[in-house]
Amino acid sequence: MSKLSYAYYPGCSGQGTSMEYEASTRGLCEALDIELKEIPDWSCCGSTPAHACDHVLSAALSGRNLALAADMGEDCVLTPCPSCLTNLKNAGRHIAHSDDFKAKVNKLLDEPINEVPDVKSVLQILFEDLGPEGLKDKILKPLKGLKVVTYYGCILTRPPKLMEFDSEENPISMDELMKAAGAEVLPFPLKTECCGASHGVARKDLVMKLSGKLLDMAAQLGADAVVTACPLCQMNLDLRQGQVNQANKTSYKLPVFYYTQLLGWAMGLPQAQLGLDKLCVDPMPALNGIAKKEDAA
Amino acid sequence: MQTVNLTDTVDRTFMEKVMEESGQVLSQCYQCGNCTASCPYTFGFDIPVSRVMRLVQTGQKKAVLESSSIWLCASCTSCTTRCPNNIDVACVMDVLRHIARREGFVKERRVKAFFDSFLDSVRKHGRVFEIGLMVDYVCKTGRFWTDMDLGPKMLPKGKMSLRPHDIKGKDAIARIFKRFEEENK
C-alpha cells in the first residue's frame, strides 16, 4: 500500500490541555506510516464561541485554514478534534454549496478561497483506510483483560448528513480499533451523550450533572477506563473528575484515555510519546493490571 | 404552565428573520417533542427546545431572546440528528444567539463572557491562549475563584502554556474580526 498522506490541522487544545492527544496522534500515525503534513501557520477555527456568534465569521476563521491546506496541494485535511472537525466541515460545505455565502466569507478574508478540501477525523482514516485488520499485526502488547467503554461525544458522528462517518446513534469505529488492540469493549449506552461541552467554566453546575452521569454509567458497567476521541470530553471527565466527585458525592478514579494513547501503548510506542503522565487520573493501575492479567493467564 | 397572549405580541418579521438566517423551514415543526426528549440540557433550560421552536413560529421574539436556553444550548446536535422533519434545530438555536447578541439580549452573562474571552484570545494571538482566556474571563465576570482548583493539577504537568502561541498571520486574523465588525455595524 502506498503511504497515506494528509494535510493536518492540530487544533489549539493540542498545544495545551490536550497535548497528550496531539503527541499520541502524531506518534501513532508515524508508526502506522501515515504522513501528517501540518498546515503552515494554521489559526484557530473559532470553536463553539465563533459559530454561536456568527456563521460567516466562523466560516472565515475555518476557511482560512482550508485555503492554506488547498495551497499545499492537499485535497484532504485531517484533524483529531471533533469541534475543529465540525467547524471545518461546516465551513467547507457552506462555502462550496452557496456562492452567496462564499462571497460573504471572502469579504472577511485577505485572499479569496478557491478550492475547498475534504475534511476527516484521524479516527475516520484509521478506521476506514487502515481498518482494524490493518492494525492487528502491529499490536505487540495486547490490552488483554482491560475493560473499556468507548465515549464518542456528541459531534464526532453527528449530525450524520454533515459528518458522513460511522453511526450517529451507535458508533463502532473506536470499539473495533480497541478490540483489535485486545481490549474488552463494554456496551456503553451513553456513547454519544453530551458531557456538558464548553460550559465547564461558565456553568459548572450543569456540567457536573452531565459528566457525572457518564462516569456513573461507566463505573456501574465495571469499566477499568473510559476511551475518548475529544479533547473537551476528556477534559470534563478527567481533569474535572475531582470536581464531579465533589459535586455528586462520588469517589471515582476512572482513567480517561485518548484512543490514540491506548492504541500506541498496545503497539509498544515509547511512553513519552503517549503523554500518559499528562492524564490527571493516574492511568498506571489500569495499565499495570493488563500485565498482571497476562501473567495470571 | 406558561401561556402566551397572541393578540399583541406576535412579531412576524422576527420569525421570518430566523427562517432566513438559519435557512430552515420553521413551519415544518409539528411539536413532536423529539428534540426536547433528546436534549441533554433540558433539565437546565428555562424553556425546552421544542417550546423555543413553537415560540419562534408564533413570533414571540422577547420570550425567546430573553431565555437562558439559547445560551445554554451546547450545540450537541441531538435535536438536529433526531428531528423527523430534517430541521437543523441546533442551527436555529445558533441563529437565536446571533440575534440576541446583536440586539443586546443576554440572559446567561457568564456564558457570553466566556465566548467573548475566547474570541478575543483568537483575535489577539491567532490561536487560543488558554491561561490568557481564563484571566480575561475572570476579569470580565469578577469570578476569581473559577477553576482555581484546576491550576495545581495542570501547571506541574506543563499542560497549560504560560505564553501565547502567536502565529505569523495573527494580523490577518485580527483583520477578519475587524471586517466582520464593519460589515455588521
Side-chain angles (χ1 to χ4, degrees):
Chain A
M1 196 165 75
S2 63
K3 187 169 178 168
L4 299 169
S5 144
Y6 301 92
Y8 181 60
Y9 181 81
C12 300
S13 64
Q15 297 185 321
T17 45
S18 73
M19 61 201 309
E20 66 272 40
Y21 193 18
E22 173 66 6
S24 55
T25 298
R26 284 183 189 269
L28 185 66
C29 287
E30 199 187 330
L32 293 169
D33 225 13
I34 299 169
E35 192 182 357
L36 303 175
K37 297 179 190 160
E38 185 168 336
I39 297 172
D41 212 42
W42 57 271
S43 49
C44 176
C45 70
S47 196
T48 302
H51 72 69
C53 174
D54 187 88
H55 288 153
V56 177
L57 173 69
S58 175
L61 291 171
S62 286
R64 176 183 177 270
N65 295 299
L66 294 174
L68 287 172
D71 287 348
M72 295 164 74
E74 296 294 332
D75 54 12
C76 185
V77 178
L78 288 199
T79 181
C81 171
S83 182
C84 302
L85 179 73
T86 301
N87 273 332
L88 293 170
K89 274 181 104 87
N90 241 327
R93 160 110 17 137
H94 285 112
I95 291 165
H97 287 109
S98 162
D99 288 339
D100 182 44
F101 187 81
K102 185 176 177 180
K104 283 183 189 164
V105 172
N106 279 338
K107 262 189 166 176
L108 302 188
L109 294 170
D110 287 352
E111 309 263 339
I113 296 173
N114 298 313
E115 291 299 304
V116 178
D118 203 4
V119 187
K120 291 180 179 177
S121 66
V122 175
L123 178 66
Q124 182 170 2
I125 290 300
L126 292 181
F127 184 64
E128 291 179 352
D129 294 11
L130 187 77
E133 287 302 319
L135 202 67
K136 268 187 179 156
D137 57 344
K138 312 245 181 195
I139 303 299
L140 305 175
K141 288 158 56 184
L143 307 169
K144 221 174 164 187
L146 185 72
K147 286 188 267 183
V148 300
V149 291
T150 47
Y151 175 54
Y152 295 75
C154 333
I155 54 172
L156 187 60
T157 62
R158 301 189 311 183
K161 276 188 208 142
L162 176 69
M163 305 318 276
E164 298 176 313
F165 168 56
D166 211 339
S167 153
E168 69 272 22
E169 298 291 0
N170 184 23
I172 53 145
S173 47
M174 244 195 310
D175 301 36
E176 294 302 318
L177 295 178
M178 281 301 123
K179 283 184 206 162
E184 183 183 341
V185 180
L186 305 171
F188 188 48
L190 304 181
K191 274 178 174 177
T192 59
E193 280 295 306
C194 180
C195 65
S198 64
H199 292 325
V201 174
R203 287 298 305 268
K204 190 177 296 156
D205 54 325
L206 303 175
V207 174
M208 296 297 103
K209 287 208 171 146
L210 292 169
S211 285
K213 256 196 339 199
L214 294 165
L215 292 172
D216 287 344
M217 179 62 80
Q220 273 172 33
L221 290 169
D224 300 318
V226 180
V227 191
T228 75
C230 172
L232 195 51
C233 300
Q234 202 277 345
M235 183 160 89
N236 281 341
L237 296 178
D238 179 45
L239 175 66
R240 294 191 185 279
Q241 197 170 119
Q243 294 178 339
V244 173
N245 278 333
Q246 208 180 3
N248 302 339
K249 299 189 174 57
T250 49
S251 54
Y252 300 129
K253 279 185 191 160
L254 262 174
V256 185
F257 292 99
Y258 289 104
Y259 75 97
T260 45
Q261 290 180 302
L262 278 182
L263 290 183
W265 173 272
M267 284 167 55
L269 296 189
Q271 279 204 38
Q273 217 165 20
L274 302 177
L276 293 168
D277 58 328
K278 307 288 181 197
L279 299 175
C280 288
V281 177
D282 184 6
M284 291 326 282
L287 292 172
N288 291 335
I290 302 171
K292 275 185 202 138
K293 280 168 196 157
E294 279 256 280
D295 293 343
Chain B
M1 194 173 146
Q2 182 195 18
T3 51
V4 176
N5 181 350
L6 288 176
T7 41
D8 45 28
T9 54
V10 179
D11 184 340
R12 286 197 67 82
T13 43
F14 169 65
M15 197 254 284
E16 279 154 17
K17 197 183 224 173
V18 177
M19 293 233 293
E20 188 200 319
E21 290 189 23
S22 67
Q24 304 302 307
V25 185
L26 296 176
S27 56
Q28 284 180 346
C29 170
Y30 51 36
Q31 291 287 298
C32 71
N34 239 332
C35 50
T36 297
S38 302
C39 175
Y41 264 102
T42 295
F43 77 97
F45 275 14
D46 52 356
I47 305 177
V49 57
S50 51
R51 198 183 298 165
V52 169
M53 293 294 283
R54 187 72 185 130
L55 289 170
V56 179
Q57 280 180 335
T58 52
Q60 299 301 309
K61 177 175 174 176
K62 203 162 165 280
V64 172
L65 296 186
E66 280 181 347
S67 72
S68 280
S69 306
I70 60 172
W71 292 99
L72 297 180
C73 162
S75 303
C76 79
T77 69
S78 300
C79 47
T80 298
T81 299
R82 295 178 185 156
C83 175
N85 289 339
N86 294 315
I87 302 172
D88 189 344
V89 186
C91 177
V92 173
M93 294 296 272
D94 246 359
V95 165
L96 293 172
R97 283 186 279 220
H98 303 167
I99 300 174
R101 178 180 278 269
R102 288 200 301 260
E103 303 196 7
F105 291 89
V106 190
K107 182 71 180 293
E108 292 285 333
R109 295 201 168 274
R110 274 146 55 193
V111 173
K112 181 174 178 289
F114 181 76
F115 287 173
D116 288 348
S117 297
F118 189 102
L119 292 175
D120 286 348
S121 185
V122 178
R123 180 181 195 144
K124 224 166 152 181
H125 307 291
R127 290 179 194 162
V128 173
F129 170 40
E130 288 163 330
I131 288 187
L133 151 68
M134 282 308 291
V135 170
D136 191 63
Y137 171 79
V138 166
C139 291
K140 276 196 175 93
T141 58
R143 297 177 65 85
F144 64 89
W145 57 88
T146 299
D147 284 337
M148 284 297 272
D149 54 323
L150 299 185
K153 289 190 178 193
M154 303 185 83
L155 289 174
K157 293 184 187 290
K159 278 185 92 170
M160 271 195 152
S161 170
L162 294 170
R163 282 206 202 130
H165 310 280
D166 284 12
I167 63 166
K168 281 188 234 130
K170 65 176 185 176
D171 296 341
I173 304 302
R175 282 194 292 275
I176 291 176
F177 280 95
K178 196 157 169 265
R179 289 185 196 119
F180 168 70
E181 279 167 3
E182 280 162 7
E183 288 284 320
N184 290 280
K185 249 182 209 166

